[in-house]
Amino acid sequence: MKRRRRNSQRATMSEVAQLADVSPSTVSLYLRRPDEVSSRRAERIQTAIDRLGYLPNTMAGGLASSRSNIIGVIVPTITFSFFAETLETLERNLRAAGYQLLIGNTEFDPSREEELIRSILSWNPSGLVLTGFSHSRKSVSLLAKSDIPIVEMWDYGQEGLDMVVGFSHHTCGRLVAEHLLRNGYRHMAFLSTNFQRDIRARERYHGFRDAIADSGGSVVVRELAGRSNTAEAGKLLCSLVDEHPETQAVFCSNDMVALGAMFECQRQGWSIPGRLAVVGFGNQDFTDSTVPPMTTVEPPRQEIGDHIARLLIDRLKGDDTATRIDLGVRLIVRESG
Amino acid sequence: MKRRRRNSQRATMSEVAQLADVSPSTVSLYLRRPDEVSSRRAERIQTAIDRLGYLPNTMAGGLASSRSNIIGVIVPTITFSFFAETLETLERNLRAAGYQLLIGNTEFDPSREEELIRSILSWNPSGLVLTGFSHSRKSVSLLAKSDIPIVEMWDYGQEGLDMVVGFSHHTCGRLVAEHLLRNGYRHMAFLSTNFQRDIRARERYHGFRDAIADSGGSVVVRELAGRSNTAEAGKLLCSLVDEHPETQAVFCSNDMVALGAMFECQRQGWSIPGRLAVVGFGNQDFTDSTVPPMTTVEPPRQEIGDHIARLLIDRLKGDDTATRIDLGVRLIVRESG
DNA sequence: CCCTTTGATCGTAGCGCTACGATTATAGAA
DNA sequence: TTCTATAATCGTAGCGCTACGATCAAAGGG
């Protein structure tokens, strides 16, 4: 029977085997566990591989072994440096262990998560990493059926589907509130990216608000309309202070928003922290060189990636290790608040 | 013969077929070209799919059709917002057309590119997107053999392996130099991330330097040691001005470096642009709210993604369209220089 | 009513690899 | 030397799907 034409020029394993004068099985074995092949044949096989420029066909291998070296990761966006750094660390660790990352981003649309999960599961991945705890009912049932290790990251506190690596944003909010309260501030504001998009910012706000309420301070909140926008943050801060001139300190949902706030202060001639204390979140690289240096919170961006990789690798080796890790955050006290 | 146990609980296409009382072929056809299946069976098949929670096995499909819906992308890092935005746009467009991105990052180590190319090619991708023109000889021969559409992005001016979408960094450097020269600046500096890592920054420097040399101005260059670091940028600027007090304007290799420069000016009490003009690169969100607003260059971050997606989709449909696109840059003149 | 045409469905043969038992080579013990 | 024990190699049967020609059903023409 006539068949569709062979896929481009790529050599197959059989061709390698033929050239090396061994069976395809031996080539396969050489590729997977080289030390179980005699050095004489190993050498012949390697020569053949080089001669033919042989590249294994990952799909064929994956199908035959009904395993894949894929780990799926779903994040809201890769343009937040937070997630990008976690991804990069995760990728580095996992690649070293022979895994390949398949990245999906929801662009902050929670309904897209399910579609991404489907698409990733159809690759038969070895594991899956999700951001946060909030998943559609359908997604949860897909995941339950899939029977692979799941990690939920960048959050902590809820039960979780399987493994969890992150920190509590609520606690983070409290931490900042307590720091400011300790320094005598009473009237606070929370200046935030949109809560709908950034649900973790809302958690931080809740922690912040609760701690302040506990000690009798006041707190005002303002949300940006769209995506994180430094200029809009400045304007919003301005109108906030206009309406609530008693405000003494503002906790921003991320360092970029805080940067916008600081520039606005400079523009208005408000001294930092004299007139207004400003605290960021993220401890991004630039925060130590603002004027004055920015007080901020350092989330364990890379540590999250490191821990997830370790957890996943252990689990895939069969070990059953710790399944919930709270990495906490570090308050970086500088001069802005 | 005893076989390894079936892969988890996932239903196969045959099971769907059985439940819907049709042949597997019909299910396959329904999934690929639904309108070629009668509505009666289509309905039965869809019901069966839903009942069983069937997810197609992408690897099996890919192997059988010796095609994959994968597009590989190799970037130096995903933590640069430039590349992240291009990736996100590319992903959005390509996903809409049914493709899946496989992202590899070299972490600025050119020698890792080859390894990534191998690893991606082993997935039998439909296309491959690389950053820049610089590839090892081995990589080039791998790519030549692979016979898939290739796009080189974020650069323009050289011949290219296949398609090219980007802009000329050399021209960009000239553009900034000409702008500054026009405004009467004669003694310039280029403050840069490490040239070894960021070879496009070096190209911009060359363009900058050449244009200045043409009109008799002077230019000094300073490179950061490691990765882009705002604080280090400030210190470096300081020592630069110390050694070359005649310096009137500084072009920074990206907005973060420029931010560091601006903060240093503020700290030193140098007026911008009176004592020192500062120009960035990237037109990142925050640049319009610095004090004073930052003059910078806008690279076509998202447009690159859009064009690549279109090119790739057209090519994969068989059309043979334009293969080299120069998107140019836009100088955003604000008040800092 | 039979024959043709068109559209819908199905059966078969792989895609390139891996798992695993079977077979063969090698080395050590008796 | 002969027999085991062990290591190295091989043959076979799929993994779950798609491509494609073959078959079957439905609809129209004479």
Side-chain angles (χ1 to χ4, degrees):
Chain A
M1 188 210 235
K2 195 168 68 237
R3 293 292 297 165
R4 46 220 129 128
R5 82 169 176 307
R6 264 280 310 292
N7 168 39
S8 79
Q9 324 308 1
R10 262 171 69 180
T12 69
M13 188 178 272
S14 306
E15 289 166 331
V16 172
Q18 208 171 334
L19 185 57
D21 194 31
V22 296
S23 80
S25 305
T26 307
V27 176
S28 172
L29 188 63
Y30 168 71
L31 255 19
R32 285 173 295 119
R33 302 196 292 271
D35 48 323
E36 293 183 23
V37 171
S38 71
S39 55
R40 219 161 44 88
R41 313 216 176 191
E43 206 176 311
R44 284 215 311 265
I45 293 171
Q46 187 57 57
T47 307
I49 288 175
D50 294 341
R51 277 263 298 283
L52 296 173
Y54 170 72
L55 279 179
N57 182 326
T58 311
M59 299 223 223
L63 179 59
S65 63
S66 59
R67 284 189 281 92
S68 82
N69 62 344
I70 285 186
I71 305 281
V73 190
I74 297 179
V75 290
T77 178
I78 59 170
T79 61
F80 266 32
S81 68
F82 302 153
F83 297 129
E85 278 184 56
T86 298
L87 280 174
E88 198 155 287
T89 307
L90 191 57
E91 210 261 359
R92 184 167 40 243
N93 285 294
L94 250 19
R95 172 173 296 280
Y99 293 96
Q100 170 73 250
L101 244 52
L102 205 56
I103 300 170
N105 66 315
T106 62
E107 305 199 26
F108 293 101
D109 176 355
S111 72
R112 289 205 39 201
E113 191 187 56
E114 189 177 318
E115 185 195 333
L116 286 170
I117 289 177
R118 263 177 216 288
S119 145
I120 291 176
L121 285 182
S122 80
W123 284 98
N124 228 86
S126 294
L128 191 52
V129 180
L130 306 172
T131 307
F133 293 120
S134 150
H135 321 293
S136 76
R137 178 169 296 287
K138 206 79 195 272
S139 300
V140 172
S141 90
L142 276 168
L143 295 171
K145 227 189 294 201
S146 78
D147 180 38
I148 55 173
I150 312 268
V151 183
E152 287 161 291
M153 67 172 178
W154 272 91
D155 245 326
Y156 191 86
Q158 286 182 239
E159 190 48 44
L161 297 165
D162 182 357
M163 297 183 271
V164 175
V165 178
F167 61 92
S168 159
H169 291 262
H170 197 276
T171 304
C172 167
R174 288 199 88 94
L175 193 70
V176 172
E178 283 156 10
H179 164 73
L180 291 170
L181 289 163
R182 213 165 28 241
N183 284 290
Y185 299 97
R186 283 292 163 270
H187 302 291
M188 325 265 203
F190 191 86
L191 188 58
S192 181
T193 40
N194 195 281
F195 283 156
Q196 284 246 286
R197 294 161 57 87
D198 192 345
I199 58 178
R200 274 161 284 281
R202 180 171 47 206
E203 269 310 300
R204 295 196 287 279
Y205 166 59
H206 287 164
F208 188 65
R209 181 197 58 189
D210 293 353
I212 292 168
D214 288 356
S215 64
S218 76
V219 55
V220 191
V221 60
R222 287 288 182 285
E223 280 175 69
L224 305 193
R227 37 175 46 221
S228 177
N229 179 288
T230 311
E232 194 190 347
K235 290 202 205 80
L236 211 55
L237 176 68
C238 213
S239 72
L240 185 155
V241 170
D242 197 47
E243 293 166 40
H244 296 274
E246 76 280 8
T247 306
Q248 302 163 319
V250 55
F251 179 27
C252 302
S253 74
N254 68 50
D255 289 337
M256 277 299 169
V257 171
L259 183 66
M262 287 182 70
F263 279 127
E264 190 61 31
C265 289
Q266 190 180 342
R267 231 173 272 116
Q268 301 291 336
W270 300 334
S271 87
I272 304 173
R275 170 65 187 86
L276 197 67
V278 176
V279 179
F281 174 83
N283 194 27
Q284 282 190 58
D285 168 68
F286 68 83
T287 52
D288 63 351
S289 35
T290 56
V291 180
M294 189 191 291
T295 294
T296 186
V297 175
E298 172 159 302
R301 298 168 292 207
Q302 312 205 27
E303 289 83 343
I304 291 178
D306 285 329
H307 279 86
I308 293 175
R310 194 174 46 71
L311 246 44
L312 241 23
I313 291 168
D314 286 354
R315 175 72 72 87
L316 291 170
K317 274 197 315 219
D319 309 7
D320 250 327
T321 43
T323 54
R324 281 164 46 92
I325 301 182
D326 179 2
L327 260 13
V329 295
R330 213 152 53 93
L331 182 67
I332 311 285
V333 179
R334 290 198 274 246
E335 295 164 33
S336 74
Chain B
M1 189 209 238
K2 193 164 73 232
R3 293 293 298 163
R4 46 220 129 127
R5 83 170 175 307
R6 265 279 311 293
N7 168 39
S8 80
Q9 324 308 1
R10 262 173 68 180
T12 68
M13 188 177 273
S14 308
E15 288 166 332
V16 171
Q18 207 172 337
L19 184 58
D21 195 31
V22 296
S23 79
S25 303
T26 307
V27 176
S28 172
L29 189 62
Y30 168 70
L31 256 19
R32 284 172 297 121
R33 301 195 293 271
D35 47 322
E36 292 184 23
V37 171
S38 70
S39 56
R40 219 160 45 86
R41 315 220 173 189
E43 207 176 309
R44 285 216 309 267
I45 293 171
Q46 188 56 57
T47 308
I49 287 176
D50 294 340
R51 278 260 299 281
L52 295 174
Y54 171 71
L55 279 178
N57 182 326
T58 311
M59 298 223 227
L63 178 59
S65 63
S66 60
R67 283 189 280 95
S68 83
N69 62 344
I70 285 185
I71 305 281
V73 190
I74 298 178
V75 290
T77 177
I78 58 171
T79 61
F80 266 31
S81 68
F82 303 152
F83 297 128
E85 279 184 55
T86 298
L87 280 175
E88 199 156 286
T89 307
L90 191 58
E91 211 261 359
R92 183 166 44 243
N93 285 293
L94 251 18
R95 172 174 295 282
Y99 293 95
Q100 171 73 249
L101 242 54
L102 205 57
I103 300 170
N105 67 316
T106 62
E107 306 200 24
F108 292 101
D109 177 354
S111 72
R112 288 205 40 202
E113 190 186 57
E114 188 177 318
E115 185 195 333
L116 286 170
I117 290 176
R118 261 175 217 287
S119 145
I120 291 176
L121 285 181
S122 80
W123 285 98
N124 229 91
S126 294
L128 191 52
V129 180
L130 306 172
T131 307
F133 293 121
S134 150
H135 321 291
S136 76
R137 178 168 295 286
K138 204 80 196 264
S139 300
V140 172
S141 89
L142 276 169
L143 295 171
K145 229 191 290 204
S146 78
D147 180 39
I148 55 173
I150 313 267
V151 184
E152 287 161 290
M153 66 172 179
W154 272 92
D155 245 326
Y156 191 86
Q158 286 183 237
E159 192 47 45
L161 297 166
D162 182 357
M163 297 182 271
V164 174
V165 178
F167 60 91
S168 159
H169 291 262
H170 196 276
T171 304
C172 167
R174 288 200 89 94
L175 192 71
V176 171
E178 283 156 11
H179 164 74
L180 290 170
L181 288 163
R182 213 166 27 244
N183 283 289
Y185 298 97
R186 283 292 163 269
H187 302 293
M188 325 265 202
F190 191 85
L191 189 57
S192 181
T193 40
N194 195 282
F195 282 155
Q196 284 247 286
R197 295 161 57 87
D198 191 345
I199 58 177
R200 275 161 285 280
R202 180 171 47 204
E203 267 312 300
R204 295 195 288 279
Y205 165 60
H206 287 164
F208 187 66
R209 181 198 59 188
D210 293 353
I212 292 168
D214 288 355
S215 65
S218 78
V219 55
V220 191
V221 59
R222 287 287 182 284
E223 281 176 68
L224 305 193
R227 37 173 47 221
S228 177
N229 179 287
T230 312
E232 194 190 348
K235 289 202 207 80
L236 212 53
L237 176 69
C238 213
S239 72
L240 185 155
V241 171
D242 197 48
E243 293 167 40
H244 297 274
E246 75 280 10
T247 306
Q248 302 163 318
V250 56
F251 179 27
C252 302
S253 74
N254 67 50
D255 289 337
M256 277 299 169
V257 171
L259 184 67
M262 287 182 71
F263 279 127
E264 189 60 31
C265 289
Q266 191 180 342
R267 229 173 273 116
Q268 302 291 336
W270 301 334
S271 86
I272 303 173
R275 169 65 187 88
L276 197 67
V278 177
V279 178
F281 174 84
N283 194 27
Q284 282 190 57
D285 169 68
F286 68 84
T287 52
D288 63 351
S289 35
T290 55
V291 180
M294 188 191 292
T295 293
T296 186
V297 175
E298 172 159 302
R301 299 168 290 208
Q302 311 205 28
E303 289 84 343
I304 291 178
D306 285 329
H307 279 85
I308 293 175
R310 193 173 48 69
L311 246 44
L312 241 23
I313 291 168
D314 286 354
R315 175 71 72 87
L316 291 169
K317 275 199 315 224
D319 309 8
D320 250 326
T321 43
T323 53
R324 280 162 48 92
I325 301 181
D326 180 2
L327 261 13
V329 296
R330 213 152 53 93
L331 183 67
I332 311 285
V333 179
R334 291 196 274 246
E335 296 164 32
S336 72

